[in-house]
Amino acid sequence: MPLPVPVPPEGVDPAWLPSAAFRAIGGRRTLIRGSGPLVETVHGEVADACARFGGRVVRDAEPGAPSYDLVLELTGTDDTEAFTYEREGGSTTVTASGQAGLLYGFFHVVRFGEDAFTGERPQEVHRPALALRMLDHWDNVAMHPVMGQVERGYAGGSLFWRDGRARGDLERVRAYGRLLAACGINAVAVNNVNVHETEAHLLTDRIGEVAEIAGALRPYGIRTHLSVSFAAPMVLGGLDTADPLDASVRAWWAETTRRVYEEIEDFGGYVVKADSEGRPGPFAYGRSHADGANTLAAALAPYGGTVHWRAFVYNHRQDWRDRSTDRARAAYDHFVPLDGRFASNAVLQVKHGPMDFQVREPVSPLIGAMPRTRLAVEMQATQEYTGQQRHVCWLGPMWSEVLRFRPDGEASVGELAGGLVAVSNVGDDPFWTGHPLAQANLYTFGRLAWQPDADPDGVLDEWIRLTFGTGPAAGLHAVLDGSWRTYEKYTAPLGVGFMVQPGHHYGPSVDGYEYSPWGTYHFADRDGVGVDRSCSTGTGYAGQYAKPWAELYESPDTCPDELLLFFHHVSYGHMLKSGKTVIQHIYDTHFEGVAEVEEAREVWASLAGLVDPARHARVAERFEEQLRSAREWRDQVNSYFFRKSGVPDAYRRTIY
Amino acid sequence: MPLPVPVPPEGVDPAWLPSAAFRAIGGRRTLIRGSGPLVETVHGEVADACARFGGRVVRDAEPGAPSYDLVLELTGTDDTEAFTYEREGGSTTVTASGQAGLLYGFFHVVRFGEDAFTGERPQEVHRPALALRMLDHWDNVAMHPVMGQVERGYAGGSLFWRDGRARGDLERVRAYGRLLAACGINAVAVNNVNVHETEAHLLTDRIGEVAEIAGALRPYGIRTHLSVSFAAPMVLGGLDTADPLDASVRAWWAETTRRVYEEIEDFGGYVVKADSEGRPGPFAYGRSHADGANTLAAALAPYGGTVHWRAFVYNHRQDWRDRSTDRARAAYDHFVPLDGRFASNAVLQVKHGPMDFQVREPVSPLIGAMPRTRLAVEMQATQEYTGQQRHVCWLGPMWSEVLRFRPDGEASVGELAGGLVAVSNVGDDPFWTGHPLAQANLYTFGRLAWQPDADPDGVLDEWIRLTFGTGPAAGLHAVLDGSWRTYEKYTAPLGVGFMVQPGHHYGPSVDGYEYSPWGTYHFADRDGVGVDRSCSTGTGYAGQYAKPWAELYESPDTCPDELLLFFHHVSYGHMLKSGKTVIQHIYDTHFEGVAEVEEAREVWASLAGLVDPARHARVAERFEEQLRSAREWRDQVNSYFFRKSGVPDAYRRTIY
């Protein structure tokens, strides 16, 4: 029986799967061969398209049947996600030896649109570069008094949880799974890594609610994961310890996990934030993070599950007076000594930069430094530090830079990583992501996870074409393409980071984190600014990189401009490679950044007739706020550095 | 029937009315003459003391009765609060022509202790300098999501409200009224001036709860007031306007007020925060604040009630880039043109300084500038900006300075004010005020409201003697006496104010309000710091004062050091009258301030055997936090100004 396509509630944006995206398939004759639940999903998709556009779909046609425009054929029963694609003799064929591959092949055809049915095309094999392509939802079940329903969420409430439990109507979750499958994502963690009291129970007495969600996501090839508390054996199990080497603790995890798999046969595994920002962890028992992760891994191993152990471990109660501690060093210092000690089904989940999702950071030196450990790289689709979905900030180019970075000059991050994870930017907002253009980040993430060396510009155009059609494509490309660099220009300069309002992280506060315990400083004084992380005179962080990068970052003469203040404290008169002084660079980029927002807003206004009115209005409204905020950033940052440096702007523009 | 003395719940601190304070009276023979409810209160007090200490009390003894040690005699039925006190021929006599006077006279005898019963003393007349001596409680009925139960409260929950309604057991409220009467306070507003949705209803359908509280406070001579929303006719009355000149609005207030007095015959009146920090007000209808106040005053007039109209009106959405707007000017600019237009039962309630209860501000120029308007001066006993009852900061000297200030060189503030109001620092904490030593602020406020030219040091000693007895008196005096100046030393320097963490206002953030919309700036740059409020080159605020002060404040050469940065922007090298440069003053005071806290902590430690252990422990614990916080203030402020100025400390102490 073909599975009906999910119908999200009235008014929910179709995102990159509008009806028009299925026009090409929907008008054709399609043959589907094979059986299995995901084949039924594909059948349902094609049937739905045909119902709308007059085509036809049949299953397992007998020999001698007429020829078909499209053949989707499952040839085996393995669990590969690969598929082949070819067009020959007027017919397009997708074959896959696993059901998920057939689903991805189907969406490949959708993305091609009319082009999938013209000309010839020799056989191509498509397979994801990364087996794990995951979204972590920082969703709370119970409303958190400070963080709300979704921690760092800017798109309304949670897709999964409402009024303290799993949403009854899961049609929207099914529609979400469909969108994810269409861009290549195959795993979702359904709750916040900060596991609070209510959420802890999802693992045991409330696992049924997780199973409901898993059931809704499964038909689109998505496995469900759960964030769990390291203290669960105490909090839930009534034990008096959570020591990972304690036999009763290990037994508790084993038994608890067995019950999870009773409810969710294809359960993906656990996500754990331990000994991090106040969460419990193995340090309390004098155990290592490998000990901690391996206990959970052992419980999951019999069922093929994985533990994702986050490497975001640092001292968040640092004394700002103490210049010898460097938060950037923390993940490397904590984890590199453990290389080789993690179980094979334990994945160390590493943020892409050493700090916390700033608009510009170097790539974490941990990546590439643990060859005997499975690593997943964590990105942040939710725009905590990049405009909170009130600003347009398409992160494709940043992620692509990270994925193409070669830690030792050879293999790229995309090749070294075993998985790619993003913190989701999705909520129950009608546009899914609050800012409609933030959908591009979700889509781009999925596509880069499938193919890390993909050209992000091409992915962007693909997203635009699917979502908006061709009419406004040039304007949309102009608005999005440079938006990350624009955002960088009007916010914290030259990689220094963290000039945000404490707590909520929206809007400027140059000194907001300067005297805080969070390890995030810029050390600006009347002479200069930046953090000396060199080996010769600084914290030694630069030395955590392999040679080519360690040498490059060590000296302000060779350090790339965009990371200069991350690695070095320099005078305001320091000459950048660009030929500008640091202070003039600050002034110039801040004026430019605002001008670019003004320009983008104009471009957007010009698209009024070419874009759905509701989408247009929402984006136009957000542009007003972005512009206000960008001006605030410009004026605060410029005033701050003018007051400190006393250096006038070369062009005598207004600085307050 | 004598009224029983209230018995607060077990474990509640007796504050300045411990059993020992009644020993002198309780061992004597007392005669009470007269009748009325407050006479019964006095009788209950004396009887309670006698029951504990073996004395005797009789009522209205017939001629020929034996002589008495103490005679408390009501001679009339008027509502004066004055009393006479004399001691002659071995007998002490208090007479009063009003019941409240007899109550105050009784507590006068309590304060005197054994001295009230020795020697001779010619007749003295005591009468309060100010008729209105009031505490405003910023208590919410419904827990506010950000501000909690008590806005700016640092002493637990509300004394009056719990679980969304008036507390059932009012014994603690009675005990509170008793403490207040003993220091001279005669009015209490029972809810937050920011009147939220739930609290609005206290005026109408929930007035019964206010009546319960009023009933508990009445026996100690305290009238109850209510904060009301200016929008009440719309919010509660269903009208489509709150225009104060609209006939239906006036009728609504008249009828509503009539009903209030049906429930609370001696109701004190309304407190209104209008057109202030987002509260509704007359501006919405193009009406003046006099129009607004007079409409409520007219409703209250038939019953002898008063409206307290707060003058805290300013633009809280200022653009920090705009240097022409000066929040300090706002109250004067708004209200002086209205002088003479307020009804006789309208009181304009003016904060003592032009900003918001900073540790150092000049006296508001509004005081003395509205000779045809009744003014009440508002202080803040709750230590919002002065350590939040985690720091010892006895505010007596500051309040005394304000009250002795002579706006035009002649009458003092204490003489010009019609009333004195403090935002209460009390909650349901066992010590009433969180920090046990913060009780001194409440007591001192009451005594200064009674006698504004009283020597605050004498009041402090009186409080110490009553509360702690004589044993630890010298140590306590040392800890408290200079604590306000100590706090000033380690926080924002030279009157500049507002270097606090935004929102909660605890702890340092030098730039925390520098780029905010709140109108609170210091304009520090690499060359200097301070706000130019002169007439010649600044905002003109200095010109709002009468001549002697306007001239004094106008020039940095004559402006007192402690207010220099409030009135002038000067270079770091500017020489103070103290002979120090501004920058060296900043360094020195910050090191001194911390040293003084360390010293006070030592003194406190030395009192261990002399003070009740629970009190001692609570204060000792708070001293740890005060010291930590003071060091944080010292280091952040010193680092900030060192980084900006580049001037090294003359004594080469550690600056980070």
Side-chain angles (χ1 to χ4, degrees):
Chain A
M1 282 288 291
L3 186 76
V5 169
V7 183
E10 184 69 26
V12 169
D13 191 73
W16 51 87
L17 294 180
S19 190
F22 296 88
R23 183 184 303 275
I25 286 182
R28 295 324 204 270
R29 290 159 304 154
T30 297
L31 168 66
I32 299 174
R33 286 185 195 275
S35 67
L38 269 55
V39 180
E40 302 307 330
T41 300
V42 171
H43 187 170
E45 287 282 348
V46 178
D48 183 76
C50 290
R52 270 181 279 149
F53 295 105
R56 215 157 59 80
V57 56
V58 299
R59 284 290 282 275
D60 305 317
E62 61 289 349
S67 75
Y68 293 91
D69 300 312
L70 175 63
V71 177
L72 302 167
E73 182 169 6
L74 179 67
T75 60
T77 56
D78 57 34
D79 61 0
T80 170
E81 296 174 305
F83 61 89
T84 65
Y85 176 88
E86 71 176 310
R87 181 162 173 82
E88 199 189 3
S91 182
T92 302
T93 306
V94 171
T95 57
S97 61
Q99 295 186 57
L102 198 72
L103 182 68
Y104 292 124
F106 163 74
F107 280 120
H108 185 76
V109 175
V110 173
R111 278 197 298 272
F112 260 140
E114 211 41 60
D115 290 348
F117 301 100
T118 54
E120 304 278 306
R121 195 154 180 138
Q123 192 179 75
E124 299 161 356
V125 178
H126 292 262
R127 69 177 77 250
L130 301 169
L132 184 102
R133 307 176 301 281
M134 183 173 186
L135 288 176
D136 281 5
H137 279 256
W138 288 356
D139 295 13
N140 299 313
V141 178
M143 187 71 86
H144 188 275
V146 176
M147 291 296 178
Q149 187 85 66
V150 181
E151 181 159 334
R152 309 305 179 189
Y154 314 104
S158 167
L159 269 188
F160 303 127
W161 315 99
R162 184 160 55 184
D163 301 333
R165 59 153 285 125
R167 281 167 179 266
D169 174 11
L170 293 173
E171 201 65 4
R172 179 107 194 241
V173 174
R174 293 185 63 220
Y176 181 52
R178 182 177 183 237
L179 285 170
L180 298 190
C183 67
I185 288 161
N186 67 355
V188 163
V190 296
N191 66 312
N192 189 357
V193 290
N194 292 316
V195 180
H196 305 295
E197 203 184 327
T198 303
E199 293 75 11
H201 288 266
L202 296 176
L203 175 61
T204 52
D205 48 303
R206 297 184 64 172
I207 188 69
E209 294 172 59
V210 182
E212 288 172 24
I213 297 167
L217 293 171
R218 185 175 296 115
Y220 284 96
I222 291 159
R223 286 174 84 179
T224 295
H225 298 240
L226 195 62
S227 296
V228 298
S229 168
F230 186 78
M234 300 169 76
V235 176
L236 302 169
L239 302 186
D240 59 3
T241 177
D243 180 352
L245 300 192
D246 182 277
S248 65
V249 169
R250 295 175 65 88
W252 187 87
W253 279 111
E255 173 59 13
T256 299
T257 304
R258 187 186 67 73
R259 292 193 189 163
V260 168
Y261 278 91
E262 270 180 13
E263 297 286 330
I264 309 167
E265 204 184 325
D266 61 347
F267 180 69
Y270 300 137
V271 179
V272 187
K273 176 178 181 179
D275 288 321
S276 171
E277 299 183 336
R279 312 310 305 168
F283 286 166
Y285 307 99
R287 309 304 184 188
S288 77
H289 278 259
D291 295 331
N294 291 347
T295 287
L296 276 69
L300 289 158
Y303 317 100
T306 304
V307 60
H308 285 252
W309 195 266
R310 294 179 84 235
F312 188 51
V313 176
Y314 69 99
N315 176 8
H316 70 290
R317 296 201 177 149
Q318 189 178 331
D319 190 330
W320 59 270
R321 303 167 185 84
D322 163 24
R323 295 238 187 160
S324 68
T325 301
D326 181 3
R327 169 169 165 179
R329 292 185 58 113
Y332 185 101
D333 286 345
H334 278 296
F335 285 96
V336 166
L338 302 176
D339 189 31
R341 292 184 45 203
F342 284 91
S344 63
N345 65 329
V347 170
L348 193 64
Q349 189 164 312
V350 185
K351 293 195 181 193
H352 68 79
M355 299 298 280
D356 192 19
F357 302 131
Q358 301 303 291
V359 69
R360 175 75 71 173
E361 294 187 34
V363 171
S364 169
L366 203 54
I367 303 170
M370 298 185 70
R372 293 175 295 157
T373 306
R374 287 175 67 190
L375 292 189
V377 176
E378 185 178 300
M379 315 289 203
Q380 198 183 40
T382 195
Q383 293 169 233
E384 177 175 357
Y385 294 99
T386 51
Q388 302 196 352
Q389 285 137 263
R390 295 192 249 179
H391 297 224
V392 186
C393 186
W394 175 57
L395 296 165
M398 177 170 95
W399 292 338
S400 180
E401 277 187 19
V402 170
L403 292 166
R404 292 169 187 229
F405 182 82
R406 297 175 187 279
D408 59 359
E410 298 182 13
S412 69
V413 168
E415 288 158 354
L416 291 163
L420 207 60
V421 180
V423 184
S424 170
N425 60 353
V426 167
D428 68 359
D429 174 76
F431 294 99
W432 301 90
T433 51
H435 199 307
L437 301 185
Q439 292 174 4
N441 285 327
L442 188 61
Y443 186 87
T444 302
F445 170 76
R447 300 289 287 136
L448 288 178
W450 182 281
Q451 187 193 344
D453 63 355
D455 170 25
D457 259 32
V459 173
L460 175 64
D461 286 335
E462 186 179 287
W463 174 79
I464 292 172
R465 198 181 58 246
L466 282 167
T467 308
F468 292 90
T470 50
L476 272 155
H477 191 98
V479 163
L480 282 157
D481 189 23
S483 58
W484 165 56
R485 287 194 175 77
T486 296
Y487 188 85
E488 182 182 25
K489 280 184 178 181
Y490 62 74
T491 58
L494 297 164
V496 75
F498 278 101
M499 291 181 167
V500 293
Q501 295 271 350
H504 59 68
H505 299 164
Y506 186 76
S509 178
V510 179
D511 270 4
Y513 277 96
E514 188 58 16
Y515 303 93
S516 81
W518 294 95
T520 48
Y521 315 114
H522 55 63
F523 301 123
D525 62 19
R526 72 192 327 248
D527 302 316
V529 56
V531 188
D532 185 353
R533 292 188 163 106
S534 70
C535 294
S536 53
T537 55
T539 68
Y541 167 79
Q544 292 186 337
Y545 287 88
K547 210 167 177 193
W549 297 107
E551 286 174 0
L552 192 87
Y553 292 146
E554 175 66 17
S555 159
D557 298 333
T558 50
C559 182
D561 281 355
E562 68 271 16
L563 289 171
L564 184 66
L565 301 185
F566 192 91
F567 283 101
H568 298 283
H569 187 93
V570 299
S571 73
Y572 294 118
H574 177 90
M575 195 61 74
L576 294 170
K577 292 178 188 51
S578 68
K580 284 181 184 175
T581 61
V582 164
I583 188 72
Q584 192 60 43
H585 172 92
I586 292 174
Y587 297 153
D588 287 353
T589 50
H590 284 78
F591 285 110
E592 285 164 24
V594 171
E596 288 169 16
V597 175
E598 285 167 345
E599 230 174 273
R601 186 180 62 153
E602 289 311 303
V603 173
W604 182 258
S606 76
L607 302 180
L610 302 170
V611 168
D612 164 66
R615 271 188 195 150
H616 195 273
R618 173 73 75 97
V619 173
E621 168 206 312
R622 305 241 157 171
F623 258 124
E624 295 308 309
E625 166 55 18
Q626 181 176 3
L627 186 54
R628 184 207 63 75
S629 176
R631 286 175 177 154
E632 194 66 33
W633 270 101
R634 173 194 67 193
D635 293 339
Q636 286 200 30
V637 172
N638 283 347
S639 291
Y640 181 97
F641 284 105
F642 174 64
R643 289 187 191 178
K644 268 214 158 123
S645 72
V647 180
D649 171 36
Y651 305 103
R652 306 192 167 284
R653 291 163 291 197
T654 304
I655 296 177
Y656 296 91
Chain B
M1 282 287 291
L3 185 77
V5 169
V7 183
E10 185 69 27
V12 169
D13 191 73
W16 50 87
L17 294 181
S19 190
F22 297 87
R23 182 184 303 275
I25 286 182
R28 290 340 202 260
R29 291 159 304 156
T30 297
L31 169 66
I32 298 175
R33 286 187 197 273
S35 66
L38 268 58
V39 180
E40 301 308 329
T41 301
V42 171
H43 187 172
E45 289 283 348
V46 179
D48 183 77
C50 291
R52 270 180 280 152
F53 296 104
R56 215 160 58 81
V57 55
V58 298
R59 285 289 284 274
D60 306 315
E62 61 290 350
S67 75
Y68 294 90
D69 301 313
L70 175 63
V71 178
L72 302 167
E73 181 169 6
L74 179 67
T75 61
T77 57
D78 58 34
D79 61 0
T80 171
E81 296 174 305
F83 62 89
T84 66
Y85 176 88
E86 70 178 309
R87 181 161 174 83
E88 199 189 0
S91 181
T92 302
T93 305
V94 170
T95 56
S97 60
Q99 293 186 59
L102 199 73
L103 181 69
Y104 291 124
F106 163 74
F107 281 119
H108 185 76
V109 175
V110 173
R111 278 197 297 272
F112 261 141
E114 211 41 58
D115 290 348
F117 301 99
T118 54
E120 303 278 305
R121 196 155 178 138
Q123 192 179 76
E124 299 162 357
V125 179
H126 292 263
R127 67 177 79 249
L130 300 169
L132 183 103
R133 306 174 303 279
M134 182 172 187
L135 287 176
D136 281 3
H137 279 256
W138 289 354
D139 294 13
N140 298 313
V141 178
M143 187 73 85
H144 187 274
V146 177
M147 291 298 178
Q149 187 85 68
V150 181
E151 180 159 334
R152 309 303 181 192
Y154 314 105
S158 167
L159 269 188
F160 303 127
W161 314 99
R162 184 158 57 183
D163 301 333
R165 58 152 285 125
R167 281 167 179 266
D169 174 10
L170 292 172
E171 201 65 5
R172 178 106 193 242
V173 174
R174 292 185 63 219
Y176 181 52
R178 182 177 182 237
L179 285 170
L180 298 190
C183 67
I185 288 162
N186 67 356
V188 163
V190 295
N191 65 312
N192 189 355
V193 289
N194 292 316
V195 180
H196 305 295
E197 203 184 327
T198 303
E199 294 75 12
H201 287 267
L202 295 176
L203 175 61
T204 52
D205 46 304
R206 297 184 63 172
I207 189 70
E209 293 172 61
V210 182
E212 287 171 25
I213 296 168
L217 292 171
R218 186 175 294 116
Y220 284 96
I222 291 160
R223 286 174 83 178
T224 294
H225 298 240
L226 194 62
S227 296
V228 298
S229 166
F230 186 77
M234 299 168 75
V235 176
L236 303 170
L239 303 187
D240 59 3
T241 179
D243 180 351
L245 300 193
D246 182 278
S248 64
V249 169
R250 296 174 65 87
W252 187 88
W253 279 111
E255 173 59 15
T256 299
T257 304
R258 187 186 67 73
R259 291 191 190 164
V260 169
Y261 278 90
E262 269 179 14
E263 297 286 329
I264 310 167
E265 203 185 328
D266 61 347
F267 180 69
Y270 300 136
V271 179
V272 187
K273 176 178 181 179
D275 289 321
S276 172
E277 298 182 337
R279 312 311 304 168
F283 286 166
Y285 307 98
R287 309 304 184 187
S288 76
H289 277 259
D291 295 332
N294 291 348
T295 287
L296 275 69
L300 289 158
Y303 316 100
T306 303
V307 60
H308 284 253
W309 196 266
R310 292 179 86 235
F312 188 50
V313 176
Y314 70 99
N315 177 7
H316 71 289
R317 297 202 174 147
Q318 190 179 329
D319 189 331
W320 60 270
R321 302 166 186 86
D322 163 25
R323 295 236 187 164
S324 68
T325 302
D326 181 2
R327 170 169 164 179
R329 292 186 56 114
Y332 184 101
D333 287 344
H334 278 297
F335 286 96
V336 167
L338 301 177
D339 189 32
R341 292 183 46 202
F342 284 91
S344 62
N345 66 327
V347 170
L348 193 63
Q349 189 163 313
V350 185
K351 293 194 180 193
H352 68 77
M355 298 299 280
D356 192 19
F357 302 130
Q358 301 303 292
V359 69
R360 176 74 71 172
E361 294 187 35
V363 172
S364 169
L366 202 54
I367 304 170
M370 297 184 70
R372 292 174 298 158
T373 306
R374 287 174 68 188
L375 292 190
V377 176
E378 185 178 299
M379 315 288 204
Q380 199 184 39
T382 195
Q383 292 170 232
E384 177 176 357
Y385 295 98
T386 51
Q388 302 196 350
Q389 285 137 260
R390 296 193 248 179
H391 297 224
V392 185
C393 185
W394 175 57
L395 295 166
M398 177 170 94
W399 294 336
S400 179
E401 277 188 18
V402 169
L403 292 167
R404 292 168 189 228
F405 182 82
R406 296 176 188 279
D408 58 359
E410 297 182 15
S412 69
V413 168
E415 287 157 354
L416 290 164
L420 208 59
V421 179
V423 184
S424 170
N425 61 352
V426 167
D428 68 359
D429 173 76
F431 294 99
W432 302 90
T433 51
H435 198 308
L437 301 185
Q439 292 175 4
N441 285 326
L442 188 61
Y443 186 86
T444 303
F445 169 78
R447 299 289 288 136
L448 288 178
W450 183 281
Q451 187 192 345
D453 63 354
D455 170 26
D457 258 33
V459 173
L460 175 64
D461 287 335
E462 186 179 288
W463 174 79
I464 291 172
R465 197 180 58 245
L466 282 167
T467 309
F468 292 89
T470 50
L476 271 155
H477 191 98
V479 163
L480 282 157
D481 189 24
S483 57
W484 164 56
R485 286 196 175 77
T486 296
Y487 188 85
E488 182 182 26
K489 280 184 179 181
Y490 62 75
T491 58
L494 297 165
V496 76
F498 278 101
M499 290 180 167
V500 292
Q501 295 271 351
H504 58 66
H505 299 163
Y506 186 76
S509 178
V510 179
D511 269 4
Y513 276 97
E514 188 58 14
Y515 302 94
S516 82
W518 294 95
T520 49
Y521 314 114
H522 55 62
F523 301 122
D525 62 19
R526 73 193 327 250
D527 302 314
V529 56
V531 188
D532 184 351
R533 292 189 163 107
S534 71
C535 294
S536 52
T537 55
T539 68
Y541 167 80
Q544 292 186 336
Y545 287 88
K547 210 166 175 195
W549 297 106
E551 285 175 1
L552 192 89
Y553 293 147
E554 176 65 17
S555 160
D557 298 333
T558 50
C559 182
D561 281 354
E562 69 271 16
L563 289 171
L564 183 65
L565 301 185
F566 192 90
F567 282 101
H568 298 282
H569 187 92
V570 299
S571 72
Y572 294 117
H574 177 92
M575 196 60 77
L576 294 171
K577 290 175 190 54
S578 69
K580 284 182 184 174
T581 60
V582 164
I583 188 72
Q584 193 58 42
H585 171 93
I586 292 174
Y587 297 152
D588 287 353
T589 50
H590 283 78
F591 285 110
E592 285 164 24
V594 171
E596 288 169 16
V597 175
E598 285 166 344
E599 230 174 272
R601 187 180 62 153
E602 290 311 302
V603 173
W604 184 257
S606 76
L607 303 178
L610 302 170
V611 168
D612 163 66
R615 270 187 196 150
H616 194 273
R618 173 73 75 95
V619 173
E621 167 206 312
R622 305 240 156 172
F623 258 123
E624 294 308 308
E625 165 56 17
Q626 180 176 2
L627 185 55
R628 184 207 62 77
S629 175
R631 287 174 177 153
E632 194 64 34
W633 271 100
R634 174 194 66 193
D635 292 338
Q636 286 200 31
V637 171
N638 283 348
S639 291
Y640 181 96
F641 284 105
F642 174 64
R643 289 187 190 178
K644 270 215 156 122
S645 71
V647 180
D649 171 35
Y651 306 102
R652 307 194 167 283
R653 290 163 292 195
T654 303
I655 295 177
Y656 296 89

